[in-house]
Amino acid sequence: MPEAVPLGLDEYLAGGIRPRIIDAAAALFRQRGFNAVSMIEAGQAVGLSKPGLYHHWPNKEALLLSIVGITGALLLRQL
């Protein structure tokens, strides 16, 4: 499976499907916990099928890593 292309802060702030996935997955992880959320649910939250979501991230851990990276970048920008 291909590696996920990192999502940079500029791409996140520009909008589009990848930032929408980040926001939706982060909300689901926060509400229900990482282990309780499936990739199918994360995709459905933004209108994507499971294969559609896997086009952007190879697995749930890579998606979480992107969330952490964007969160850190936003925090640094605020500081």
Side-chain angles (χ1 to χ4, degrees), residues 9-57:
L9 184 57
D10 290 337
E11 182 185 356
Y12 176 80
L13 295 174
I17 189 64
R18 286 169 50 94
R20 286 182 43 225
I21 295 167
I22 292 276
D23 291 343
L28 288 169
F29 295 163
R30 185 174 47 250
Q31 292 166 2
R32 298 186 19 228
F34 178 77
N35 289 330
V37 177
S38 70
M39 288 292 274
I40 293 171
E41 293 169 306
Q44 288 174 341
V46 293
L48 289 176
S49 64
K50 183 178 177 181
L53 182 59
Y54 277 110
H55 173 74
H56 298 284
W57 279 277

Side-chain angles (χ1 to χ4, degrees), residues 1 3 8 39-40 43 48 54 60 68 74 79:
M1 191 168 290
E3 290 293 317
M39 288 292 274
I40 293 171
L48 289 176
Y54 277 110
K60 194 166 65 166
V68 171
L74 288 168
L79 294 175

Side-chain angles (χ1 to χ4, degrees), residues 9 66-79:
L9 184 57
S66 292
I67 293 168
V68 171
I70 289 299
T71 301
L74 288 168
L75 177 61
L76 285 175
R77 181 172 273 195
Q78 292 298 314
L79 294 175

